[in-house]
Coordinates of all heavy atoms in Angstrom, one line a residue:
M1 N -62.4 -6.9 2.7 CA -62.7 -7.5 4.0 C -62.5 -9.0 3.9 O -62.9 -9.6 2.9 CB -64.1 -7.1 4.5 CG -64.3 -7.5 5.9 SD -65.8 -6.9 6.6 CE -65.5 -5.2 6.7
S2 N -62.1 -9.6 5.0 CA -61.9 -11.1 5.0 C -63.3 -11.7 5.0 O -64.2 -11.3 5.6 CB -61.2 -11.4 6.3 OG -61.2 -12.8 6.5
D3 N -63.3 -12.8 4.2 CA -64.6 -13.6 4.1 C -64.7 -14.7 5.2 O -65.7 -15.4 5.2 CB -64.8 -14.2 2.7 CG -63.6 -15.1 2.3 OD1 -62.6 -15.2 3.1 OD2 -63.8 -15.8 1.3
K4 N -63.7 -14.8 6.0 CA -63.7 -15.8 7.1 C -64.4 -15.3 8.3 O -64.2 -14.1 8.7 CB -62.3 -16.2 7.4 CG -61.6 -16.9 6.3 CD -60.2 -17.3 6.6 CE -59.6 -18.0 5.4 NZ -58.2 -18.3 5.6
V5 N -65.2 -16.1 8.9 CA -66.0 -15.8 10.1 C -65.2 -15.9 11.3 O -64.5 -16.9 11.5 CB -67.3 -16.7 10.1 CG1 -68.0 -16.4 11.4 CG2 -68.1 -16.5 8.9
P6 N -65.1 -14.9 12.2 CA -64.4 -15.0 13.5 C -65.0 -16.2 14.3 O -66.2 -16.3 14.4 CB -64.6 -13.7 14.1 CG -64.9 -12.8 13.0 CD -65.7 -13.6 12.0
I7 N -64.1 -16.9 14.9 CA -64.5 -18.0 15.8 C -64.1 -17.6 17.3 O -62.9 -17.6 17.6 CB -63.9 -19.4 15.4 CG1 -64.2 -19.7 14.0 CG2 -64.3 -20.5 16.4 CD1 -65.6 -19.9 13.7
L8 N -65.0 -17.3 18.1 CA -64.7 -16.9 19.5 C -64.3 -18.1 20.3 O -65.0 -19.1 20.4 CB -66.0 -16.2 20.1 CG -65.8 -15.6 21.4 CD1 -64.8 -14.4 21.4 CD2 -67.2 -15.0 21.9
R9 N -63.2 -17.9 21.1 CA -62.8 -18.9 22.0 C -63.0 -18.5 23.5 O -63.4 -19.3 24.3 CB -61.3 -19.1 21.9 CG -60.9 -19.7 20.5 CD -61.4 -21.1 20.4 NE -60.9 -21.7 19.2 CZ -61.5 -22.6 18.5 NH1 -62.7 -23.1 18.8 NH2 -61.0 -23.1 17.3
A10 N -62.8 -17.2 23.8 CA -63.1 -16.7 25.2 C -63.3 -15.2 25.1 O -62.6 -14.6 24.3 CB -61.9 -17.1 26.1
S11 N -64.1 -14.7 26.0 CA -64.4 -13.3 26.0 C -65.2 -12.8 27.2 O -66.0 -13.6 27.7 CB -65.1 -12.8 24.7 OG -65.3 -11.4 24.7
D12 N -64.9 -11.6 27.7 CA -65.8 -11.0 28.6 C -66.2 -9.6 28.2 O -66.6 -8.8 28.9 CB -65.2 -11.0 30.0 CG -64.0 -10.1 30.2 OD1 -63.6 -9.5 29.2 OD2 -63.5 -10.0 31.3
I13 N -66.0 -9.4 26.9 CA -66.3 -8.1 26.3 C -67.8 -8.0 25.9 O -68.4 -9.0 25.5 CB -65.4 -7.9 25.0 CG1 -64.0 -7.5 25.4 CG2 -66.0 -6.8 24.1 CD1 -63.0 -7.3 24.3
S14 N -68.4 -6.8 25.9 CA -69.8 -6.6 25.5 C -69.9 -7.0 24.0 O -69.0 -7.0 23.3 CB -70.2 -5.2 25.7 OG -69.6 -4.3 24.7
D15 N -71.1 -7.4 23.6 CA -71.4 -7.8 22.3 C -71.1 -6.7 21.3 O -70.5 -6.9 20.2 CB -72.9 -8.2 22.1 CG -73.2 -9.5 22.8 OD1 -72.2 -10.3 23.1 OD2 -74.4 -9.8 23.0
D16 N -71.4 -5.4 21.6 CA -71.1 -4.3 20.7 C -69.6 -4.1 20.5 O -69.2 -3.9 19.4 CB -71.7 -3.0 21.2 CG -73.3 -3.0 21.1 OD1 -73.8 -3.8 20.4 OD2 -73.9 -2.2 21.8
L17 N -68.9 -4.2 21.6 CA -67.4 -4.0 21.5 C -66.8 -5.2 20.7 O -65.9 -5.0 19.9 CB -66.8 -3.9 22.8 CG -65.3 -3.6 22.9 CD1 -64.9 -2.5 22.0 CD2 -64.9 -3.4 24.3
Q18 N -67.3 -6.4 21.0 CA -66.8 -7.6 20.3 C -67.0 -7.5 18.8 O -66.2 -7.7 18.0 CB -67.5 -8.9 20.8 CG -67.0 -10.2 20.2 CD -65.6 -10.5 20.8 OE1 -65.4 -10.6 21.9 NE2 -64.6 -10.6 19.9
T19 N -68.2 -7.0 18.4 CA -68.5 -6.8 17.0 C -67.6 -5.8 16.3 O -67.1 -6.0 15.2 CB -70.0 -6.3 16.8 OG1 -70.9 -7.4 17.3 CG2 -70.3 -6.1 15.3
K20 N -67.3 -4.7 17.0 CA -66.4 -3.7 16.5 C -65.0 -4.3 16.4 O -64.3 -4.0 15.4 CB -66.4 -2.4 17.4 CG -65.5 -1.3 16.9 CD -66.1 -0.8 15.6 CE -65.3 0.4 15.1 NZ -65.8 0.9 13.8
I21 N -64.5 -5.0 17.3 CA -63.2 -5.7 17.3 C -63.1 -6.6 16.1 O -62.1 -6.7 15.4 CB -62.8 -6.3 18.6 CG1 -62.6 -5.2 19.6 CG2 -61.6 -7.2 18.4 CD1 -62.4 -5.7 21.0
Y22 N -64.2 -7.4 15.9 CA -64.2 -8.3 14.7 C -64.1 -7.5 13.4 O -63.3 -7.8 12.5 CB -65.5 -9.1 14.6 CG -65.7 -10.2 15.6 CD1 -66.9 -10.7 15.9 CD2 -64.5 -10.8 16.2 CE1 -67.1 -11.8 16.8 CE2 -64.7 -11.9 17.1 CZ -66.0 -12.4 17.4 OH -66.1 -13.4 18.2
E23 N -64.8 -6.4 13.3 CA -64.8 -5.5 12.1 C -63.4 -5.0 11.9 O -62.8 -5.0 10.7 CB -65.8 -4.4 12.2 CG -67.2 -4.8 12.1 CD -68.2 -3.7 12.4 OE1 -67.8 -2.6 12.7 OE2 -69.4 -4.0 12.4
L24 N -62.8 -4.5 12.9 CA -61.4 -3.9 12.8 C -60.4 -5.0 12.4 O -59.5 -4.8 11.6 CB -61.0 -3.2 14.1 CG -61.8 -1.9 14.5 CD1 -61.4 -1.5 15.9 CD2 -61.4 -0.8 13.5
S25 N -60.6 -6.2 13.0 CA -59.7 -7.3 12.7 C -59.8 -7.7 11.3 O -58.7 -8.0 10.6 CB -60.0 -8.5 13.7 OG -59.8 -8.1 15.0
Q26 N -61.0 -7.8 10.7 CA -61.1 -8.1 9.3 C -60.6 -7.1 8.4 O -60.0 -7.4 7.4 CB -62.6 -8.5 9.1 CG -63.0 -9.8 9.7 CD -64.5 -10.1 9.6 OE1 -65.3 -9.2 9.7 NE2 -64.8 -11.3 9.3
D27 N -60.7 -5.8 8.8 CA -60.1 -4.7 8.0 C -58.6 -4.8 8.0 O -58.0 -4.7 7.0 CB -60.5 -3.3 8.6 CG -62.0 -3.0 8.4 OD1 -62.6 -3.6 7.5 OD2 -62.4 -2.0 9.0
A28 N -58.1 -5.2 9.2 CA -56.6 -5.3 9.3 C -56.1 -6.4 8.4 O -55.1 -6.3 7.8 CB -56.2 -5.5 10.8
I29 N -56.8 -7.6 8.4 CA -56.4 -8.7 7.6 C -56.4 -8.3 6.1 O -55.6 -8.7 5.3 CB -57.2 -9.9 7.9 CG1 -56.9 -10.5 9.3 CG2 -57.1 -11.0 6.8 CD1 -57.9 -11.6 9.7
A30 N -57.4 -7.5 5.7 CA -57.6 -7.1 4.3 C -56.5 -6.2 3.9 O -56.1 -6.2 2.7 CB -58.9 -6.5 4.1
N31 N -55.9 -5.4 4.8 CA -55.0 -4.4 4.5 C -53.5 -4.7 4.8 O -52.6 -4.0 4.3 CB -55.4 -3.0 5.2 CG -56.6 -2.5 4.6 OD1 -56.7 -2.2 3.4 ND2 -57.6 -2.3 5.4
Y32 N -53.3 -5.7 5.7 CA -51.9 -6.0 6.1 C -51.7 -7.5 6.0 O -52.6 -8.3 6.2 CB -51.7 -5.5 7.5 CG -51.8 -4.0 7.7 CD1 -53.0 -3.5 8.2 CD2 -50.8 -3.1 7.3 CE1 -53.2 -2.1 8.3 CE2 -51.0 -1.8 7.5 CZ -52.2 -1.3 8.0 OH -52.4 0.1 8.1
K33 N -50.5 -7.9 5.7 CA -50.2 -9.3 5.6 C -49.2 -9.8 6.7 O -49.2 -11.0 7.0 CB -49.5 -9.6 4.2 CG -50.3 -9.2 3.0 CD -51.6 -9.9 3.0 CE -52.5 -9.4 1.9 NZ -53.9 -9.3 2.3
I34 N -48.5 -8.9 7.3 CA -47.6 -9.2 8.4 C -48.3 -9.1 9.7 O -49.0 -8.1 10.0 CB -46.3 -8.3 8.4 CG1 -45.6 -8.5 7.0 CG2 -45.4 -8.6 9.5 CD1 -44.5 -7.5 6.8
E35 N -48.2 -10.1 10.6 CA -48.9 -10.2 11.9 C -48.6 -9.0 12.7 O -49.5 -8.4 13.3 CB -48.5 -11.5 12.6 CG -49.0 -12.7 11.9 CD -48.3 -14.0 12.3 OE1 -47.3 -13.9 13.1 OE2 -48.8 -15.1 11.9
K36 N -47.4 -8.5 12.8 CA -47.0 -7.3 13.6 C -47.8 -6.1 13.1 O -48.2 -5.3 13.9 CB -45.5 -7.1 13.5 CG -45.0 -5.8 14.2 CD -43.6 -5.5 14.0 CE -43.2 -5.2 12.6 NZ -43.6 -3.8 12.1
D37 N -47.9 -6.0 11.8 CA -48.7 -4.8 11.2 C -50.2 -4.9 11.5 O -50.8 -3.9 11.8 CB -48.4 -4.7 9.7 CG -47.0 -4.4 9.3 OD1 -46.2 -3.9 10.2 OD2 -46.6 -4.8 8.2
I38 N -50.7 -6.1 11.5 CA -52.1 -6.3 11.9 C -52.3 -5.9 13.3 O -53.2 -5.2 13.7 CB -52.5 -7.8 11.6 CG1 -52.5 -8.1 10.1 CG2 -53.9 -8.1 12.3 CD1 -52.7 -9.6 9.8
A39 N -51.4 -6.4 14.2 CA -51.5 -6.0 15.6 C -51.4 -4.5 15.9 O -52.1 -3.9 16.7 CB -50.5 -6.8 16.4
T40 N -50.4 -3.9 15.2 CA -50.2 -2.5 15.3 C -51.4 -1.7 14.9 O -51.8 -0.8 15.7 CB -49.0 -2.0 14.5 OG1 -47.8 -2.7 14.9 CG2 -48.7 -0.5 14.6
Y41 N -52.0 -2.0 13.8 CA -53.2 -1.3 13.3 C -54.3 -1.4 14.4 O -55.0 -0.5 14.8 CB -53.7 -1.9 12.0 CG -55.0 -1.5 11.6 CD1 -55.2 -0.3 10.9 CD2 -56.2 -2.3 11.8 CE1 -56.5 0.2 10.6 CE2 -57.4 -1.9 11.4 CZ -57.6 -0.6 10.8 OH -58.8 -0.2 10.4
L42 N -54.6 -2.7 14.9 CA -55.6 -2.9 15.9 C -55.4 -2.1 17.1 O -56.3 -1.5 17.7 CB -55.8 -4.4 16.2 CG -56.4 -5.2 15.1 CD1 -56.3 -6.7 15.3 CD2 -57.9 -4.8 14.9
K43 N -54.2 -2.1 17.7 CA -53.9 -1.4 18.9 C -54.1 0.1 18.8 O -54.7 0.7 19.6 CB -52.4 -1.7 19.3 CG -52.1 -1.3 20.8 CD -51.0 -0.2 20.8 CE -50.6 0.2 22.2 NZ -51.6 0.6 23.1
K44 N -53.6 0.6 17.7 CA -53.8 2.1 17.4 C -55.3 2.4 17.3 O -55.7 3.4 17.9 CB -53.0 2.5 16.2 CG -51.5 2.6 16.4 CD -50.8 3.0 15.2 CE -49.3 3.1 15.4 NZ -48.6 3.5 14.2
E45 N -56.0 1.7 16.6 CA -57.5 1.9 16.4 C -58.2 1.8 17.8 O -59.0 2.6 18.1 CB -58.1 1.0 15.4 CG -57.7 1.3 14.0 CD -58.2 2.6 13.5 OE1 -59.4 2.9 13.7 OE2 -57.4 3.3 12.9
L46 N -57.9 0.7 18.5 CA -58.6 0.5 19.8 C -58.3 1.6 20.8 O -59.1 2.1 21.5 CB -58.3 -0.8 20.3 CG -58.9 -2.0 19.6 CD1 -58.3 -3.3 20.0 CD2 -60.5 -2.0 19.7
D47 N -57.0 2.0 20.9 CA -56.6 3.1 21.8 C -57.3 4.4 21.4 O -57.7 5.1 22.3 CB -55.1 3.3 21.7 CG -54.3 2.3 22.6 OD1 -54.9 1.6 23.3 OD2 -53.0 2.3 22.4
Q48 N -57.4 4.7 20.1 CA -58.1 5.9 19.6 C -59.6 5.9 19.9 O -60.1 6.9 20.4 CB -57.8 6.1 18.2 CG -58.4 7.4 17.6 CD -58.1 7.6 16.2 OE1 -57.9 6.6 15.4 NE2 -58.1 8.8 15.7
L49 N -60.2 4.7 19.6 CA -61.7 4.6 19.8 C -62.1 4.5 21.2 O -63.2 5.0 21.6 CB -62.2 3.5 19.0 CG -62.1 3.6 17.4 CD1 -62.5 2.3 16.8 CD2 -63.1 4.7 17.0
F50 N -61.4 3.7 22.0 CA -61.8 3.3 23.4 C -60.9 3.7 24.5 O -61.1 3.2 25.6 CB -62.1 1.8 23.4 CG -63.1 1.4 22.3 CD1 -62.7 0.7 21.2 CD2 -64.5 1.7 22.4 CE1 -63.6 0.3 20.2 CE2 -65.4 1.4 21.5 CZ -64.9 0.7 20.3
G51 N -59.9 4.5 24.2 CA -58.9 4.9 25.2 C -57.9 3.9 25.5 O -58.1 2.7 25.2
P52 N -56.7 4.3 26.0 CA -55.6 3.4 26.3 C -56.0 2.5 27.5 O -56.9 2.8 28.3 CB -54.5 4.3 26.6 CG -55.1 5.6 26.9 CD -56.4 5.7 26.3
T53 N -55.3 1.5 27.7 CA -54.2 0.9 27.0 C -54.5 -0.5 26.6 O -54.8 -1.4 27.4 CB -53.0 0.8 28.0 OG1 -52.6 2.1 28.4 CG2 -51.8 0.1 27.4
W54 N -54.6 -0.7 25.3 CA -55.0 -2.0 24.7 C -53.7 -2.7 24.3 O -52.7 -2.1 24.0 CB -55.8 -1.8 23.4 CG -57.2 -1.3 23.7 CD1 -57.7 0.0 23.9 CD2 -58.3 -2.2 23.9 NE1 -59.0 -0.1 24.2 CE2 -59.4 -1.4 24.2 CE3 -58.5 -3.6 23.9 CZ2 -60.7 -1.9 24.5 CZ3 -59.8 -4.1 24.2 CH2 -60.8 -3.2 24.5
H55 N -53.8 -4.0 24.4 CA -52.7 -4.9 24.0 C -53.2 -5.9 23.0 O -54.3 -6.4 23.1 CB -52.2 -5.7 25.2 CG -51.8 -4.8 26.3 ND1 -50.6 -4.2 26.4 CD2 -52.5 -4.3 27.4 CE1 -50.5 -3.4 27.5 NE2 -51.7 -3.5 28.1
V56 N -52.5 -6.1 21.9 CA -52.9 -7.0 20.8 C -51.8 -7.9 20.4 O -50.7 -7.5 20.1 CB -53.3 -6.1 19.6 CG1 -53.8 -7.0 18.4 CG2 -54.4 -5.1 19.9
I57 N -52.2 -9.2 20.4 CA -51.2 -10.3 20.0 C -51.9 -11.0 18.9 O -53.1 -11.5 19.0 CB -50.9 -11.2 21.2 CG1 -50.3 -10.4 22.3 CG2 -50.0 -12.3 20.7 CD1 -50.3 -11.1 23.7
V58 N -51.2 -11.2 17.8 CA -51.8 -11.8 16.6 C -50.7 -12.9 16.1 O -49.6 -12.5 16.0 CB -52.1 -10.8 15.4 CG1 -52.6 -11.5 14.2 CG2 -53.0 -9.8 15.9
G59 N -51.2 -14.1 15.8 CA -50.3 -15.1 15.3 C -50.9 -16.4 15.2 O -52.0 -16.6 15.6
E60 N -50.2 -17.3 14.6 CA -50.7 -18.7 14.4 C -50.3 -19.6 15.6 O -51.0 -20.6 15.8 CB -50.1 -19.3 13.1 CG -50.7 -18.6 11.9 CD -50.3 -19.3 10.6 OE1 -49.9 -20.5 10.6 OE2 -50.3 -18.7 9.6
S61 N -49.3 -19.2 16.4 CA -49.0 -20.0 17.5 C -48.3 -19.1 18.6 O -47.3 -18.5 18.3 CB -48.0 -21.1 17.1 OG -47.6 -21.9 18.2
F62 N -48.9 -19.1 19.8 CA -48.2 -18.3 20.9 C -48.9 -18.8 22.2 O -50.0 -19.3 22.2 CB -48.4 -16.8 20.7 CG -49.8 -16.3 20.6 CD1 -50.6 -16.1 21.7 CD2 -50.4 -16.1 19.4 CE1 -51.9 -15.6 21.7 CE2 -51.7 -15.6 19.3 CZ -52.4 -15.4 20.4
G63 N -48.2 -18.6 23.2 CA -48.7 -18.8 24.6 C -48.8 -17.5 25.3 O -48.1 -16.5 24.9
S64 N -49.7 -17.4 26.3 CA -49.8 -16.2 27.0 C -50.4 -16.4 28.4 O -51.0 -17.4 28.7 CB -50.7 -15.2 26.2 OG -52.0 -15.7 26.2
Y65 N -50.1 -15.5 29.2 CA -50.7 -15.4 30.6 C -50.8 -13.9 30.9 O -49.8 -13.3 31.0 CB -49.9 -16.1 31.6 CG -50.6 -16.2 32.9 CD1 -51.5 -17.2 33.3 CD2 -50.2 -15.2 33.9 CE1 -52.1 -17.2 34.5 CE2 -50.8 -15.3 35.2 CZ -51.8 -16.2 35.4 OH -52.4 -16.3 36.7
V66 N -52.0 -13.4 30.9 CA -52.1 -11.9 31.0 C -53.1 -11.5 32.1 O -53.9 -12.3 32.5 CB -52.6 -11.3 29.7 CG1 -51.6 -11.6 28.6 CG2 -54.0 -11.7 29.3
T67 N -53.0 -10.3 32.6 CA -53.9 -9.7 33.5 C -54.6 -8.5 32.7 O -53.9 -7.8 32.0 CB -53.2 -9.1 34.7 OG1 -52.5 -10.1 35.4 CG2 -54.1 -8.5 35.7
H68 N -55.9 -8.5 32.8 CA -56.6 -7.5 32.1 C -57.7 -6.8 32.9 O -58.1 -7.4 34.0 CB -57.3 -8.1 30.8 CG -58.3 -9.2 31.2 ND1 -59.6 -8.9 31.4 CD2 -58.1 -10.5 31.3 CE1 -60.2 -10.0 31.7 NE2 -59.3 -11.0 31.7
D69 N -58.2 -5.7 32.4 CA -59.4 -5.0 33.1 C -60.6 -5.9 32.8 O -60.8 -6.4 31.7 CB -59.6 -3.6 32.5 CG -58.5 -2.7 32.9 OD1 -57.6 -3.0 33.7 OD2 -58.4 -1.6 32.3
Q70 N -61.4 -6.0 33.8 CA -62.6 -6.8 33.7 C -63.5 -6.2 32.6 O -63.7 -5.0 32.6 CB -63.4 -6.9 35.0 CG -64.6 -7.9 34.9 CD -65.2 -8.1 36.3 OE1 -64.7 -7.7 37.3 NE2 -66.3 -8.7 36.3
G71 N -64.0 -7.1 31.7 CA -64.9 -6.6 30.6 C -64.1 -6.2 29.4 O -64.7 -5.6 28.4
F72 N -62.8 -6.5 29.3 CA -62.0 -6.0 28.2 C -61.0 -7.1 27.7 O -59.8 -6.8 27.6 CB -61.3 -4.7 28.5 CG -62.2 -3.6 28.7 CD1 -62.6 -3.2 30.0 CD2 -62.7 -2.9 27.6 CE1 -63.5 -2.1 30.2 CE2 -63.6 -1.8 27.8 CZ -64.0 -1.4 29.1
F73 N -61.5 -8.3 27.5 CA -60.7 -9.4 27.1 C -61.4 -10.2 26.0 O -62.6 -10.5 26.2 CB -60.3 -10.3 28.3 CG -59.7 -11.6 27.9 CD1 -58.3 -11.7 27.8 CD2 -60.4 -12.8 27.6 CE1 -57.7 -12.9 27.4 CE2 -59.8 -13.9 27.2 CZ -58.4 -14.0 27.1
T74 N -60.7 -10.5 24.9 CA -61.2 -11.4 23.9 C -60.1 -12.2 23.3 O -59.0 -11.7 23.1 CB -62.1 -10.6 22.9 OG1 -62.7 -11.6 22.0 CG2 -61.2 -9.7 22.0
Y75 N -60.5 -13.4 22.9 CA -59.5 -14.4 22.2 C -60.4 -15.1 21.2 O -61.4 -15.7 21.5 CB -59.0 -15.3 23.3 CG -58.1 -16.4 22.7 CD1 -56.9 -16.1 21.9 CD2 -58.4 -17.7 22.9 CE1 -56.1 -17.1 21.4 CE2 -57.6 -18.7 22.3 CZ -56.4 -18.4 21.6 OH -55.6 -19.4 21.1
F76 N -59.9 -14.9 19.9 CA -60.7 -15.5 18.8 C -59.8 -15.8 17.7 O -58.6 -15.4 17.6 CB -61.8 -14.6 18.4 CG -61.4 -13.2 17.9 CD1 -61.1 -13.0 16.5 CD2 -61.2 -12.2 18.8 CE1 -60.7 -11.7 16.1 CE2 -60.8 -10.9 18.4 CZ -60.5 -10.7 17.0
Y77 N -60.3 -16.6 16.7 CA -59.6 -16.9 15.5 C -60.3 -16.3 14.3 O -61.5 -16.3 14.3 CB -59.5 -18.4 15.3 CG -58.4 -19.1 16.1 CD1 -58.6 -19.4 17.4 CD2 -57.2 -19.4 15.5 CE1 -57.7 -20.0 18.2 CE2 -56.2 -20.1 16.3 CZ -56.5 -20.4 17.6 OH -55.5 -21.0 18.3
I78 N -59.5 -15.9 13.3 CA -60.1 -15.7 12.0 C -59.1 -16.5 11.0 O -57.9 -16.2 10.9 CB -60.0 -14.2 11.6 CG1 -60.9 -13.4 12.5 CG2 -60.5 -14.0 10.1 CD1 -60.9 -11.9 12.2
G79 N -59.7 -17.5 10.5 CA -58.9 -18.4 9.7 C -57.9 -19.1 10.6 O -58.2 -19.6 11.7
E80 N -56.6 -19.1 10.2 CA -55.5 -19.7 11.0 C -54.9 -18.7 12.0 O -54.2 -19.1 12.9 CB -54.4 -20.1 10.1 CG -54.8 -21.2 9.1 CD -55.2 -22.5 9.8 OE1 -54.5 -22.9 10.7 OE2 -56.2 -23.0 9.4
L81 N -55.3 -17.4 11.9 CA -54.7 -16.4 12.9 C -55.5 -16.3 14.2 O -56.7 -16.2 14.2 CB -54.7 -15.0 12.2 CG -53.7 -14.7 11.2 CD1 -53.8 -13.3 10.7 CD2 -52.3 -14.9 11.8
A82 N -54.8 -16.4 15.3 CA -55.4 -16.2 16.6 C -55.2 -14.7 17.0 O -54.2 -14.1 16.7 CB -54.7 -17.1 17.6
F83 N -56.2 -14.2 17.6 CA -56.2 -12.8 18.1 C -56.4 -12.8 19.6 O -57.5 -13.3 20.1 CB -57.3 -12.0 17.4 CG -57.1 -11.7 16.0 CD1 -57.3 -12.7 15.1 CD2 -56.7 -10.5 15.5 CE1 -57.1 -12.5 13.7 CE2 -56.5 -10.2 14.2 CZ -56.7 -11.2 13.3
L84 N -55.5 -12.3 20.4 CA -55.6 -12.1 21.8 C -55.6 -10.5 22.0 O -54.6 -9.9 21.7 CB -54.5 -12.7 22.6 CG -54.5 -12.5 24.1 CD1 -55.7 -13.0 24.7 CD2 -53.2 -13.1 24.7
I85 N -56.7 -10.0 22.5 CA -56.9 -8.6 22.6 C -57.4 -8.3 24.0 O -58.4 -8.8 24.4 CB -57.8 -8.0 21.5 CG1 -57.2 -8.3 20.1 CG2 -58.0 -6.5 21.7 CD1 -58.1 -7.9 19.0
F86 N -56.7 -7.4 24.7 CA -57.2 -7.0 26.1 C -56.8 -5.6 26.4 O -55.8 -5.1 25.8 CB -56.7 -8.0 27.1 CG -55.2 -8.1 27.2 CD1 -54.5 -7.5 28.2 CD2 -54.5 -9.0 26.3 CE1 -53.2 -7.6 28.3 CE2 -53.1 -9.1 26.4 CZ -52.5 -8.4 27.4
K87 N -57.4 -5.1 27.4 CA -57.1 -3.7 27.9 C -56.7 -3.8 29.3 O -57.2 -4.6 30.1 CB -58.4 -2.8 27.8 CG -58.1 -1.4 28.1 CD -59.4 -0.6 27.9 CE -59.1 0.9 28.2 NZ -60.3 1.7 28.0
S88 N -55.7 -3.0 29.7 CA -55.2 -2.9 31.0 C -54.9 -1.5 31.4 O -54.6 -0.7 30.5 CB -54.0 -3.8 31.3 OG -52.9 -3.3 30.6
G89 N -55.2 -1.1 32.6 CA -55.0 0.3 32.9 C -54.2 0.4 34.1 O -53.5 0.9 34.7

C-alpha cells in the first residue's frame, strides 16, 4: 500500500465513501504503475461496489470540466498523482 497520505482538494462524497476510494486508490498505486491501469482498476472496482457509472481520471497534469451526480464527486492527490473520480447516471 502507498505510504503517501491522500490530500483532498474538493469533494461532496460521504466520509465513508471517501475513505473507501482512498483505500482503493492506494491499492491501485501499489499494484499498477501506468496511470491508465490505475484508473481502469478504480473504475471497475467502483462500478462493482457502488453501481455504474463511475468515471476516473488519474494523472500528473490534466484539465477537466465535468457534470456529476450530487454526492459523488472527489478530487484529491496522492503524491504527485491527481485523482478525479465522479459518478454520473
Side-chain angles (χ1 to χ4, degrees):
M1 186 172 292
S2 172
D3 59 351
K4 296 182 179 171
V5 177
I7 306 297
L8 185 62
R9 297 291 186 211
S11 178
D12 69 358
I13 286 180
S14 70
D15 291 341
D16 289 343
L17 183 52
Q18 186 71 59
T19 298
K20 184 62 176 177
I21 289 173
Y22 285 161
E23 291 171 1
L24 291 170
S25 298
Q26 289 175 319
D27 289 346
I29 290 171
N31 291 303
Y32 301 97
K33 302 302 175 219
I34 299 170
E35 295 162 352
K36 176 185 67 75
D37 295 339
I38 293 169
T40 299
Y41 169 81
L42 287 169
K43 192 239 184 312
K44 287 181 180 179
E45 289 293 314
L46 290 167
D47 279 351
Q48 182 178 27
L49 291 169
F50 304 107
T53 299
W54 287 89
H55 307 275
V56 180
I57 301 164
V58 178
E60 291 187 22
S61 178
F62 58 84
S64 67
Y65 184 85
V66 301
T67 301
H68 62 88
D69 292 350
Q70 186 171 352
F72 294 97
F73 170 87
T74 187
Y75 175 58
F76 61 94
Y77 280 82
I78 298 178
E80 298 296 316
L81 281 182
F83 291 75
L84 176 61
I85 300 174
F86 60 97
K87 186 176 184 180
S88 67

